[in-house]
PDB file of all heavy atoms in Angstrom:
ATOM      1  N   ALA W   1      79.777  -7.272 104.261  1.00  0.00           N
ATOM      2  CA  ALA W   1      78.495  -8.027 104.617  1.00  0.00           C
ATOM      3  C   ALA W   1      78.642  -9.439 104.050  1.00  0.00           C
ATOM      4  O   ALA W   1      79.484  -9.714 103.197  1.00  0.00           O
ATOM      5  CB  ALA W   1      77.299  -7.264 103.883  1.00  0.00           C
ATOM      6  N   SER W   2      77.850 -10.282 104.557  1.00  0.00           N
ATOM      7  CA  SER W   2      77.855 -11.756 104.184  1.00  0.00           C
ATOM      8  C   SER W   2      76.442 -12.285 104.146  1.00  0.00           C
ATOM      9  O   SER W   2      75.686 -12.025 105.022  1.00  0.00           O
ATOM     10  CB  SER W   2      78.725 -12.551 105.144  1.00  0.00           C
ATOM     11  OG  SER W   2      78.709 -13.896 104.703  1.00  0.00           O
ATOM     12  N   VAL W   3      76.192 -13.033 103.044  1.00  0.00           N
ATOM     13  CA  VAL W   3      74.886 -13.643 102.860  1.00  0.00           C
ATOM     14  C   VAL W   3      75.139 -14.991 102.315  1.00  0.00           C
ATOM     15  O   VAL W   3      76.198 -15.367 101.863  1.00  0.00           O
ATOM     16  CB  VAL W   3      73.959 -12.811 101.934  1.00  0.00           C
ATOM     17  CG1 VAL W   3      73.648 -11.452 102.517  1.00  0.00           C
ATOM     18  CG2 VAL W   3      74.636 -12.713 100.515  1.00  0.00           C
ATOM     19  N   THR W   4      74.013 -15.807 102.262  1.00  0.00           N
ATOM     20  CA  THR W   4      74.064 -17.131 101.698  1.00  0.00           C
ATOM     21  C   THR W   4      73.759 -17.088 100.248  1.00  0.00           C
ATOM     22  O   THR W   4      73.533 -16.040  99.663  1.00  0.00           O
ATOM     23  CB  THR W   4      73.147 -18.079 102.475  1.00  0.00           C
ATOM     24  OG1 THR W   4      73.462 -19.458 102.071  1.00  0.00           O
ATOM     25  CG2 THR W   4      71.678 -17.790 102.192  1.00  0.00           C
ATOM     26  N   HIS W   5      73.746 -18.287  99.597  1.00  0.00           N
ATOM     27  CA  HIS W   5      73.495 -18.310  98.165  1.00  0.00           C
ATOM     28  C   HIS W   5      72.016 -18.199  97.854  1.00  0.00           C
ATOM     29  O   HIS W   5      71.162 -18.109  98.679  1.00  0.00           O
ATOM     30  CB  HIS W   5      74.070 -19.633  97.572  1.00  0.00           C
ATOM     31  CG  HIS W   5      73.536 -20.903  98.247  1.00  0.00           C
ATOM     32  ND1 HIS W   5      73.917 -22.148  97.910  1.00  0.00           N
ATOM     33  CD2 HIS W   5      72.661 -21.042  99.353  1.00  0.00           C
ATOM     34  CE1 HIS W   5      73.255 -23.095  98.657  1.00  0.00           C
ATOM     35  NE2 HIS W   5      72.540 -22.391  99.579  1.00  0.00           N
ATOM     36  N   GLY W   6      71.785 -18.016  96.506  1.00  0.00           N
ATOM     37  CA  GLY W   6      70.421 -17.974  96.015  1.00  0.00           C
ATOM     38  C   GLY W   6      69.600 -16.793  96.552  1.00  0.00           C
ATOM     39  O   GLY W   6      69.942 -15.657  96.325  1.00  0.00           O
ATOM     40  N   PRO W   7      68.506 -17.090  97.339  1.00  0.00           N
ATOM     41  CA  PRO W   7      67.640 -15.993  97.731  1.00  0.00           C
ATOM     42  C   PRO W   7      68.375 -15.070  98.694  1.00  0.00           C
ATOM     43  O   PRO W   7      68.001 -13.870  98.820  1.00  0.00           O
ATOM     44  CB  PRO W   7      66.483 -16.737  98.514  1.00  0.00           C
ATOM     45  CG  PRO W   7      67.016 -18.114  98.720  1.00  0.00           C
ATOM     46  CD  PRO W   7      67.925 -18.421  97.644  1.00  0.00           C
ATOM     47  N   GLY W   8      69.406 -15.503  99.420  1.00  0.00           N
ATOM     48  CA  GLY W   8      70.143 -14.671 100.275  1.00  0.00           C
ATOM     49  C   GLY W   8      70.824 -13.575  99.438  1.00  0.00           C
ATOM     50  O   GLY W   8      70.856 -12.345  99.800  1.00  0.00           O
ATOM     51  N   LEU W   9      71.372 -13.953  98.260  1.00  0.00           N
ATOM     52  CA  LEU W   9      71.994 -12.972  97.420  1.00  0.00           C
ATOM     53  C   LEU W   9      70.956 -12.129  96.691  1.00  0.00           C
ATOM     54  O   LEU W   9      71.163 -10.904  96.583  1.00  0.00           O
ATOM     55  CB  LEU W   9      72.891 -13.655  96.414  1.00  0.00           C
ATOM     56  CG  LEU W   9      73.622 -12.804  95.430  1.00  0.00           C
ATOM     57  CD1 LEU W   9      74.598 -11.829  96.152  1.00  0.00           C
ATOM     58  CD2 LEU W   9      74.471 -13.605  94.435  1.00  0.00           C
ATOM     59  N   THR W  10      69.912 -12.667  96.272  1.00  0.00           N
ATOM     60  CA  THR W  10      68.905 -11.861  95.489  1.00  0.00           C
ATOM     61  C   THR W  10      68.310 -10.785  96.328  1.00  0.00           C
ATOM     62  O   THR W  10      67.982  -9.752  95.825  1.00  0.00           O
ATOM     63  CB  THR W  10      67.760 -12.782  94.902  1.00  0.00           C
ATOM     64  OG1 THR W  10      67.030 -13.431  96.002  1.00  0.00           O
ATOM     65  CG2 THR W  10      68.318 -13.797  93.888  1.00  0.00           C
ATOM     66  N   ASN W  11      68.225 -10.992  97.659  1.00  0.00           N
ATOM     67  CA  ASN W  11      67.686  -9.982  98.528  1.00  0.00           C
ATOM     68  C   ASN W  11      68.558  -8.781  98.663  1.00  0.00           C
ATOM     69  O   ASN W  11      68.197  -7.749  99.203  1.00  0.00           O
ATOM     70  CB  ASN W  11      67.484 -10.547  99.900  1.00  0.00           C
ATOM     71  CG  ASN W  11      66.243 -11.405 100.012  1.00  0.00           C
ATOM     72  OD1 ASN W  11      65.378 -11.306  99.143  1.00  0.00           O
ATOM     73  ND2 ASN W  11      66.073 -12.223 101.034  1.00  0.00           N
ATOM     74  N   THR W  12      69.869  -8.823  98.120  1.00  0.00           N
ATOM     75  CA  THR W  12      70.754  -7.657  98.233  1.00  0.00           C
ATOM     76  C   THR W  12      70.779  -6.835  97.028  1.00  0.00           C
ATOM     77  O   THR W  12      71.514  -5.834  96.926  1.00  0.00           O
ATOM     78  CB  THR W  12      72.172  -8.207  98.475  1.00  0.00           C
ATOM     79  OG1 THR W  12      72.632  -8.876  97.369  1.00  0.00           O
ATOM     80  CG2 THR W  12      72.277  -9.115  99.666  1.00  0.00           C
ATOM     81  N   ILE W  13      69.944  -7.163  95.990  1.00  0.00           N
ATOM     82  CA  ILE W  13      70.112  -6.513  94.736  1.00  0.00           C
ATOM     83  C   ILE W  13      69.882  -5.020  94.717  1.00  0.00           C
ATOM     84  O   ILE W  13      70.649  -4.222  94.228  1.00  0.00           O
ATOM     85  CB  ILE W  13      69.060  -7.170  93.680  1.00  0.00           C
ATOM     86  CG1 ILE W  13      69.502  -8.621  93.425  1.00  0.00           C
ATOM     87  CG2 ILE W  13      69.090  -6.391  92.365  1.00  0.00           C
ATOM     88  CD1 ILE W  13      70.854  -8.861  92.948  1.00  0.00           C
ATOM     89  N   THR W  14      68.849  -4.577  95.350  1.00  0.00           N
ATOM     90  CA  THR W  14      68.522  -3.105  95.529  1.00  0.00           C
ATOM     91  C   THR W  14      69.761  -2.412  96.192  1.00  0.00           C
ATOM     92  O   THR W  14      70.266  -1.318  95.694  1.00  0.00           O
ATOM     93  CB  THR W  14      67.285  -2.828  96.315  1.00  0.00           C
ATOM     94  OG1 THR W  14      66.179  -3.426  95.591  1.00  0.00           O
ATOM     95  CG2 THR W  14      67.026  -1.338  96.485  1.00  0.00           C
ATOM     96  N   GLY W  15      70.277  -3.029  97.250  1.00  0.00           N
ATOM     97  CA  GLY W  15      71.374  -2.372  97.933  1.00  0.00           C
ATOM     98  C   GLY W  15      72.631  -2.308  97.043  1.00  0.00           C
ATOM     99  O   GLY W  15      73.403  -1.387  97.108  1.00  0.00           O
ATOM    100  N   LEU W  16      72.872  -3.423  96.296  1.00  0.00           N
ATOM    101  CA  LEU W  16      74.044  -3.428  95.400  1.00  0.00           C
ATOM    102  C   LEU W  16      73.955  -2.301  94.387  1.00  0.00           C
ATOM    103  O   LEU W  16      74.908  -1.562  94.169  1.00  0.00           O
ATOM    104  CB  LEU W  16      74.157  -4.758  94.649  1.00  0.00           C
ATOM    105  CG  LEU W  16      74.653  -5.980  95.518  1.00  0.00           C
ATOM    106  CD1 LEU W  16      74.611  -7.265  94.656  1.00  0.00           C
ATOM    107  CD2 LEU W  16      76.058  -5.680  96.056  1.00  0.00           C
ATOM    108  N   ILE W  17      72.812  -2.145  93.823  1.00  0.00           N
ATOM    109  CA  ILE W  17      72.634  -1.006  92.837  1.00  0.00           C
ATOM    110  C   ILE W  17      72.814   0.332  93.517  1.00  0.00           C
ATOM    111  O   ILE W  17      73.448   1.264  92.914  1.00  0.00           O
ATOM    112  CB  ILE W  17      71.259  -1.122  92.115  1.00  0.00           C
ATOM    113  CG1 ILE W  17      71.171  -2.430  91.382  1.00  0.00           C
ATOM    114  CG2 ILE W  17      71.075  -0.020  91.142  1.00  0.00           C
ATOM    115  CD1 ILE W  17      69.806  -2.726  90.809  1.00  0.00           C
ATOM    116  N   GLU W  18      72.284   0.473  94.660  1.00  0.00           N
ATOM    117  CA  GLU W  18      72.447   1.746  95.446  1.00  0.00           C
ATOM    118  C   GLU W  18      73.901   2.028  95.717  1.00  0.00           C
ATOM    119  O   GLU W  18      74.441   3.125  95.428  1.00  0.00           O
ATOM    120  CB  GLU W  18      71.734   1.655  96.776  1.00  0.00           C
ATOM    121  CG  GLU W  18      71.996   2.824  97.733  1.00  0.00           C
ATOM    122  CD  GLU W  18      71.139   4.035  97.307  1.00  0.00           C
ATOM    123  OE1 GLU W  18      70.215   3.935  96.590  1.00  0.00           O
ATOM    124  OE2 GLU W  18      71.514   5.157  97.787  1.00  0.00           O
ATOM    125  N   GLY W  19      74.682   0.942  96.003  1.00  0.00           N
ATOM    126  CA  GLY W  19      76.080   1.147  96.231  1.00  0.00           C
ATOM    127  C   GLY W  19      76.907   1.427  95.015  1.00  0.00           C
ATOM    128  O   GLY W  19      77.818   2.240  95.045  1.00  0.00           O
ATOM    129  N   VAL W  20      76.464   0.881  93.875  1.00  0.00           N
ATOM    130  CA  VAL W  20      77.132   1.187  92.625  1.00  0.00           C
ATOM    131  C   VAL W  20      76.894   2.624  92.256  1.00  0.00           C
ATOM    132  O   VAL W  20      77.835   3.382  91.931  1.00  0.00           O
ATOM    133  CB  VAL W  20      76.587   0.245  91.476  1.00  0.00           C
ATOM    134  CG1 VAL W  20      77.111   0.711  90.121  1.00  0.00           C
ATOM    135  CG2 VAL W  20      77.107  -1.189  91.695  1.00  0.00           C
ATOM    136  N   LYS W  21      75.660   3.084  92.349  1.00  0.00           N
ATOM    137  CA  LYS W  21      75.317   4.559  91.995  1.00  0.00           C
ATOM    138  C   LYS W  21      75.991   5.462  92.915  1.00  0.00           C
ATOM    139  O   LYS W  21      76.299   6.552  92.528  1.00  0.00           O
ATOM    140  CB  LYS W  21      73.768   4.653  91.903  1.00  0.00           C
ATOM    141  CG  LYS W  21      73.114   3.963  90.788  1.00  0.00           C
ATOM    142  CD  LYS W  21      71.637   4.114  90.796  1.00  0.00           C
ATOM    143  CE  LYS W  21      70.918   3.474  89.614  1.00  0.00           C
ATOM    144  NZ  LYS W  21      71.153   4.321  88.373  1.00  0.00           N
ATOM    145  N   ALA W  22      76.059   5.081  94.254  1.00  0.00           N
ATOM    146  CA  ALA W  22      76.648   5.955  95.243  1.00  0.00           C
ATOM    147  C   ALA W  22      78.170   5.849  95.245  1.00  0.00           C
ATOM    148  O   ALA W  22      78.818   6.596  95.937  1.00  0.00           O
ATOM    149  CB  ALA W  22      76.112   5.666  96.566  1.00  0.00           C
ATOM    150  N   ARG W  23      78.754   4.881  94.532  1.00  0.00           N
ATOM    151  CA  ARG W  23      80.172   4.664  94.505  1.00  0.00           C
ATOM    152  C   ARG W  23      80.804   4.412  95.906  1.00  0.00           C
ATOM    153  O   ARG W  23      81.671   5.112  96.312  1.00  0.00           O
ATOM    154  CB  ARG W  23      80.855   5.854  93.760  1.00  0.00           C
ATOM    155  CG  ARG W  23      80.356   6.087  92.377  1.00  0.00           C
ATOM    156  CD  ARG W  23      81.151   7.130  91.624  1.00  0.00           C
ATOM    157  NE  ARG W  23      82.348   6.599  91.172  1.00  0.00           N
ATOM    158  CZ  ARG W  23      83.597   7.042  91.566  1.00  0.00           C
ATOM    159  NH1 ARG W  23      83.648   8.036  92.383  1.00  0.00           N
ATOM    160  NH2 ARG W  23      84.678   6.465  91.138  1.00  0.00           N
ATOM    161  N   ILE W  24      80.209   3.390  96.577  1.00  0.00           N
ATOM    162  CA  ILE W  24      80.599   3.042  97.872  1.00  0.00           C
ATOM    163  C   ILE W  24      81.406   1.718  97.887  1.00  0.00           C
ATOM    164  O   ILE W  24      80.825   0.755  97.343  1.00  0.00           O
ATOM    165  CB  ILE W  24      79.463   2.990  98.834  1.00  0.00           C
ATOM    166  CG1 ILE W  24      78.722   4.335  98.910  1.00  0.00           C
ATOM    167  CG2 ILE W  24      79.871   2.563 100.208  1.00  0.00           C
ATOM    168  CD1 ILE W  24      77.452   4.364  99.748  1.00  0.00           C
ATOM    169  N   PRO W  25      82.559   1.608  98.427  1.00  0.00           N
ATOM    170  CA  PRO W  25      83.294   0.344  98.437  1.00  0.00           C
ATOM    171  C   PRO W  25      82.802  -0.595  99.541  1.00  0.00           C
ATOM    172  O   PRO W  25      82.886  -0.349 100.725  1.00  0.00           O
ATOM    173  CB  PRO W  25      84.759   0.806  98.784  1.00  0.00           C
ATOM    174  CG  PRO W  25      84.620   2.067  99.560  1.00  0.00           C
ATOM    175  CD  PRO W  25      83.324   2.759  99.060  1.00  0.00           C
ATOM    176  N   VAL W  26      82.331  -1.729  99.155  1.00  0.00           N
ATOM    177  CA  VAL W  26      81.823  -2.774 100.026  1.00  0.00           C
ATOM    178  C   VAL W  26      82.239  -4.187  99.413  1.00  0.00           C
ATOM    179  O   VAL W  26      82.172  -4.324  98.227  1.00  0.00           O
ATOM    180  CB  VAL W  26      80.309  -2.718 100.189  1.00  0.00           C
ATOM    181  CG1 VAL W  26      79.782  -3.972 100.817  1.00  0.00           C
ATOM    182  CG2 VAL W  26      79.931  -1.533 101.070  1.00  0.00           C
ATOM    183  N   VAL W  27      82.641  -5.043 100.243  1.00  0.00           N
ATOM    184  CA  VAL W  27      82.774  -6.440  99.823  1.00  0.00           C
ATOM    185  C   VAL W  27      81.608  -7.229 100.429  1.00  0.00           C
ATOM    186  O   VAL W  27      81.336  -7.227 101.591  1.00  0.00           O
ATOM    187  CB  VAL W  27      84.077  -7.012 100.433  1.00  0.00           C
ATOM    188  CG1 VAL W  27      84.095  -8.562 100.150  1.00  0.00           C
ATOM    189  CG2 VAL W  27      85.297  -6.382  99.761  1.00  0.00           C
ATOM    190  N   LEU W  28      80.838  -7.832  99.505  1.00  0.00           N
ATOM    191  CA  LEU W  28      79.687  -8.644  99.908  1.00  0.00           C
ATOM    192  C   LEU W  28      80.204 -10.111  99.705  1.00  0.00           C
ATOM    193  O   LEU W  28      80.309 -10.603  98.600  1.00  0.00           O
ATOM    194  CB  LEU W  28      78.495  -8.385  99.074  1.00  0.00           C
ATOM    195  CG  LEU W  28      77.342  -9.336  99.303  1.00  0.00           C
ATOM    196  CD1 LEU W  28      76.826  -9.261 100.681  1.00  0.00           C
ATOM    197  CD2 LEU W  28      76.190  -9.060  98.306  1.00  0.00           C
ATOM    198  N   LEU W  29      80.391 -10.833 100.840  1.00  0.00           N
ATOM    199  CA  LEU W  29      80.825 -12.229 100.798  1.00  0.00           C
ATOM    200  C   LEU W  29      79.557 -13.091 100.679  1.00  0.00           C
ATOM    201  O   LEU W  29      78.777 -13.196 101.595  1.00  0.00           O
ATOM    202  CB  LEU W  29      81.637 -12.551 101.997  1.00  0.00           C
ATOM    203  CG  LEU W  29      82.361 -13.911 102.019  1.00  0.00           C
ATOM    204  CD1 LEU W  29      83.541 -13.803 102.976  1.00  0.00           C
ATOM    205  CD2 LEU W  29      81.441 -15.083 102.443  1.00  0.00           C
ATOM    206  N   ALA W  30      79.435 -13.770  99.507  1.00  0.00           N
ATOM    207  CA  ALA W  30      78.285 -14.634  99.294  1.00  0.00           C
ATOM    208  C   ALA W  30      78.704 -16.064  99.136  1.00  0.00           C
ATOM    209  O   ALA W  30      79.595 -16.416  98.324  1.00  0.00           O
ATOM    210  CB  ALA W  30      77.563 -14.158  97.957  1.00  0.00           C
ATOM    211  N   GLY W  31      78.104 -16.879  99.926  1.00  0.00           N
ATOM    212  CA  GLY W  31      78.321 -18.366  99.773  1.00  0.00           C
ATOM    213  C   GLY W  31      77.680 -18.786  98.438  1.00  0.00           C
ATOM    214  O   GLY W  31      76.846 -18.122  97.925  1.00  0.00           O
ATOM    215  N   ASP W  32      78.219 -19.867  97.854  1.00  0.00           N
ATOM    216  CA  ASP W  32      77.598 -20.334  96.609  1.00  0.00           C
ATOM    217  C   ASP W  32      77.463 -21.889  96.681  1.00  0.00           C
ATOM    218  O   ASP W  32      78.122 -22.538  97.386  1.00  0.00           O
ATOM    219  CB  ASP W  32      78.489 -19.938  95.472  1.00  0.00           C
ATOM    220  CG  ASP W  32      77.825 -20.070  94.037  1.00  0.00           C
ATOM    221  OD1 ASP W  32      76.558 -20.324  94.108  1.00  0.00           O
ATOM    222  OD2 ASP W  32      78.401 -19.846  93.038  1.00  0.00           O
ATOM    223  N   THR W  33      76.568 -22.345  95.831  1.00  0.00           N
ATOM    224  CA  THR W  33      76.228 -23.819  95.802  1.00  0.00           C
ATOM    225  C   THR W  33      77.448 -24.576  95.288  1.00  0.00           C
ATOM    226  O   THR W  33      78.034 -24.140  94.243  1.00  0.00           O
ATOM    227  CB  THR W  33      75.059 -23.988  94.902  1.00  0.00           C
ATOM    228  OG1 THR W  33      73.967 -23.181  95.317  1.00  0.00           O
ATOM    229  CG2 THR W  33      74.592 -25.453  95.014  1.00  0.00           C
ATOM    230  N   ALA W  34      77.835 -25.696  95.849  1.00  0.00           N
ATOM    231  CA  ALA W  34      78.883 -26.528  95.341  1.00  0.00           C
ATOM    232  C   ALA W  34      78.414 -27.201  94.024  1.00  0.00           C
ATOM    233  O   ALA W  34      77.246 -27.390  93.818  1.00  0.00           O
ATOM    234  CB  ALA W  34      79.189 -27.591  96.397  1.00  0.00           C
ATOM    235  N   PRO W  35      79.405 -27.548  93.147  1.00  0.00           N
ATOM    236  CA  PRO W  35      78.947 -28.222  91.914  1.00  0.00           C
ATOM    237  C   PRO W  35      78.068 -29.446  92.107  1.00  0.00           C
ATOM    238  O   PRO W  35      77.140 -29.639  91.284  1.00  0.00           O
ATOM    239  CB  PRO W  35      80.393 -28.620  91.212  1.00  0.00           C
ATOM    240  CG  PRO W  35      81.293 -27.578  91.884  1.00  0.00           C
ATOM    241  CD  PRO W  35      80.832 -27.307  93.215  1.00  0.00           C
ATOM    242  N   ALA W  36      78.293 -30.103  93.201  1.00  0.00           N
ATOM    243  CA  ALA W  36      77.465 -31.307  93.447  1.00  0.00           C
ATOM    244  C   ALA W  36      76.054 -30.953  93.726  1.00  0.00           C
ATOM    245  O   ALA W  36      75.097 -31.821  93.631  1.00  0.00           O
ATOM    246  CB  ALA W  36      78.019 -32.137  94.594  1.00  0.00           C
ATOM    247  N   GLY W  37      75.801 -29.688  94.125  1.00  0.00           N
ATOM    248  CA  GLY W  37      74.427 -29.256  94.431  1.00  0.00           C
ATOM    249  C   GLY W  37      73.707 -28.484  93.382  1.00  0.00           C
ATOM    250  O   GLY W  37      72.657 -27.970  93.506  1.00  0.00           O
ATOM    251  N   ARG W  38      74.363 -28.476  92.157  1.00  0.00           N
ATOM    252  CA  ARG W  38      73.708 -27.781  91.001  1.00  0.00           C
ATOM    253  C   ARG W  38      72.352 -28.413  90.762  1.00  0.00           C
ATOM    254  O   ARG W  38      72.180 -29.614  90.688  1.00  0.00           O
ATOM    255  CB  ARG W  38      74.518 -27.871  89.771  1.00  0.00           C
ATOM    256  CG  ARG W  38      75.955 -27.222  89.857  1.00  0.00           C
ATOM    257  CD  ARG W  38      75.843 -25.742  90.227  1.00  0.00           C
ATOM    258  NE  ARG W  38      77.218 -25.117  90.256  1.00  0.00           N
ATOM    259  CZ  ARG W  38      77.526 -24.163  91.001  1.00  0.00           C
ATOM    260  NH1 ARG W  38      76.660 -23.665  91.910  1.00  0.00           N
ATOM    261  NH2 ARG W  38      78.739 -23.644  90.969  1.00  0.00           N
ATOM    262  N   GLY W  39      71.339 -27.518  90.566  1.00  0.00           N
ATOM    263  CA  GLY W  39      69.990 -28.011  90.412  1.00  0.00           C
ATOM    264  C   GLY W  39      69.144 -28.012  91.652  1.00  0.00           C
ATOM    265  O   GLY W  39      67.928 -28.242  91.604  1.00  0.00           O
ATOM    266  N   SER W  40      69.857 -27.648  92.770  1.00  0.00           N
ATOM    267  CA  SER W  40      69.053 -27.586  93.996  1.00  0.00           C
ATOM    268  C   SER W  40      68.232 -26.317  93.989  1.00  0.00           C
ATOM    269  O   SER W  40      68.382 -25.407  93.162  1.00  0.00           O
ATOM    270  CB  SER W  40      70.047 -27.531  95.196  1.00  0.00           C
ATOM    271  OG  SER W  40      70.810 -26.392  95.195  1.00  0.00           O
ATOM    272  N   SER W  41      67.281 -26.195  94.975  1.00  0.00           N
ATOM    273  CA  SER W  41      66.351 -25.180  94.951  1.00  0.00           C
ATOM    274  C   SER W  41      66.953 -23.806  95.076  1.00  0.00           C
ATOM    275  O   SER W  41      66.439 -22.812  94.554  1.00  0.00           O
ATOM    276  CB  SER W  41      65.326 -25.317  96.123  1.00  0.00           C
ATOM    277  OG  SER W  41      66.018 -25.284  97.338  1.00  0.00           O
ATOM    278  N   GLN W  42      68.111 -23.608  95.693  1.00  0.00           N
ATOM    279  CA  GLN W  42      68.789 -22.308  95.844  1.00  0.00           C
ATOM    280  C   GLN W  42      69.915 -22.111  94.913  1.00  0.00           C
ATOM    281  O   GLN W  42      70.618 -21.106  95.017  1.00  0.00           O
ATOM    282  CB  GLN W  42      69.248 -22.180  97.340  1.00  0.00           C
ATOM    283  CG  GLN W  42      68.109 -22.154  98.338  1.00  0.00           C
ATOM    284  CD  GLN W  42      68.624 -21.808  99.741  1.00  0.00           C
ATOM    285  OE1 GLN W  42      69.782 -22.045 100.099  1.00  0.00           O
ATOM    286  NE2 GLN W  42      67.715 -21.228 100.545  1.00  0.00           N
ATOM    287  N   ASP W  43      70.060 -22.922  93.920  1.00  0.00           N
ATOM    288  CA  ASP W  43      71.120 -22.750  92.944  1.00  0.00           C
ATOM    289  C   ASP W  43      70.758 -21.774  91.844  1.00  0.00           C
ATOM    290  O   ASP W  43      69.726 -21.968  91.235  1.00  0.00           O
ATOM    291  CB  ASP W  43      71.499 -24.090  92.331  1.00  0.00           C
ATOM    292  CG  ASP W  43      72.579 -23.991  91.351  1.00  0.00           C
ATOM    293  OD1 ASP W  43      73.518 -23.216  91.506  1.00  0.00           O
ATOM    294  OD2 ASP W  43      72.504 -24.818  90.345  1.00  0.00           O
ATOM    295  N   ILE W  44      71.516 -20.716  91.602  1.00  0.00           N
ATOM    296  CA  ILE W  44      71.333 -19.808  90.497  1.00  0.00           C
ATOM    297  C   ILE W  44      72.631 -19.449  89.988  1.00  0.00           C
ATOM    298  O   ILE W  44      73.722 -19.768  90.555  1.00  0.00           O
ATOM    299  CB  ILE W  44      70.614 -18.483  90.982  1.00  0.00           C
ATOM    300  CG1 ILE W  44      71.351 -17.833  92.090  1.00  0.00           C
ATOM    301  CG2 ILE W  44      69.193 -18.781  91.435  1.00  0.00           C
ATOM    302  CD1 ILE W  44      70.817 -16.447  92.476  1.00  0.00           C
ATOM    303  N   SER W  45      72.700 -18.749  88.808  1.00  0.00           N
ATOM    304  CA  SER W  45      73.970 -18.193  88.293  1.00  0.00           C
ATOM    305  C   SER W  45      74.255 -16.876  88.994  1.00  0.00           C
ATOM    306  O   SER W  45      73.714 -15.826  88.606  1.00  0.00           O
ATOM    307  CB  SER W  45      73.822 -18.019  86.793  1.00  0.00           C
ATOM    308  OG  SER W  45      75.018 -17.407  86.249  1.00  0.00           O
TER     309      SER W  45
END
């Protein structure tokens, strides 16, 4: 699966935990904010 940074990633949290508990192998490709964009509205750790 693939999502964007910030809220795109936070929307996957329930599914990620479901996958961990179910022990299912998935790669979630998440874009992330460039260093120059740190502090932007969608920037999170």
